[in-house]
Amino acid sequence: MTLSLKELTAEADRCVACGLCLPHCPTYRKTGSEADSPRGRIQLIRAVSQDILPNNARFKEHIDLCLSCRSCESACPNSVNYGALVDTTRALYIQKRSVWLSIAKPFIRHRRLSNAITWPLWFLSKLNLITVLKQLVPTAKLLPTIQKPMVWKSLYTATQTTQGAVSLFLGCATNAFDNRTLSASIYVLNALGYDVHVPNAQTCCGSIARQAGDDLEASLLIKKNASNFDPAMPILTTASGCSAGLKDYLTTHQIQDISTFLVSCDWSTVKITPLKERIYVQDPCSLRNVLKAQKAVYDLLKKIPEADIQALPGNSQCCGGAGAYSVTQPEMANQLLNDKLTAITANQVTILATSNIGCSLHINKGLNSTHASTRVTHPIEIIAKQMGFEA
Ligand code: SF4
Ligand code: SF4
């Protein structure tokens, strides 16, 4: 939620500076600086909003370093709405003329444009030429594995007695880099008796633009989604980052993370093949701190006979993916990623389930030869495979 200036000051005033949120803040834990803590940032926001301190480069630096993980919000006994504070601050004071956002904006906004990039990349990867591209263009090193782009139908009908209808939110990053998760979602929903609508003109959830302080762009994307999704049907997302962004701003529609929806379905008619494996789960911050729905992922995976479901140690700390954070704040993003990699190595993780594309891209980027047997995947893909889904 974006606040007015008066509401911003009033919300900041609700912080009683108790400091209980400090140990939960990843940036404070890393830098040890009060200005990189939730309490410190709230004090800075209040001072800038009242013209006590200038809106200068140092203020911007401390706000930029915030991951918007909202771990502080979950810990706050006074229920200070830190998410609204930081979103509003970015919109009012930190509007960036970011080069990367200006370049990325059309691709985020228009799926056809992002497909126009992913098709040639996919061909290059088929010809084993991605490595050459990565040597020629340094930024190409950030590219994940490219899956064959998909052209979505507007409706996928249930394969058994219809239980209802849902809309599927594609998400700009998931559609570009992990459409297998979207196909797996359609497969599972159809098998459970749900018609799946995929509105063609849907667009990005707006979270990346909002994080960059581009409130105008974020609002435009929300409006476009509002007019393209049927409010009578729940919108299911496979990326909890999108879910959180839509839930806060697309208030006319019912938004649900797909795992939350699926655990409430009737599974008595489907067959799930056993999987004798230990599956570790990484909780995305958006699922844990905003949607407060992380339990649904464990409950969903527990439907797989013989699977041993465990939480990845250190789950309460952000992985550093955080939307575009790994691009804008690579140093802190890598420090946080290293903590995840340490947990993955220490626990000899072979399957890591995470339900947010930002986390999965970021963690995948950090895996190296010591993690040759580690696979990061969406929980829906794991269960879909046990139901017969083939990518
Ligand atoms: S949102 Fe996350 S990084 Fe930002 S102040 Fe809160 S806990 Fe710290
Ligand atoms: S826990 Fe809440 S009230 Fe206490 S310092 Fe943090 S934000 Fe302020």
Side-chain angles (χ1 to χ4, degrees), residues 24-27 37-38 41 66-72 82:
H24 300 270
C25 174
T27 58
S37 78
R41 288 188 178 112
C66 170
L67 295 138
S68 291
C69 69
R70 291 164 70 172
S71 185
C72 48
Y82 182 85

Side-chain angles (χ1 to χ4, degrees), residues 14-22 38-39 42 72 75-80 82:
R14 293 186 56 245
C15 169
V16 295
C18 65
L20 289 174
C21 53
L22 266 62
R39 180 176 64 186
I42 293 171
C72 48
C76 178
N78 217 23
S79 307
V80 172
Y82 182 85

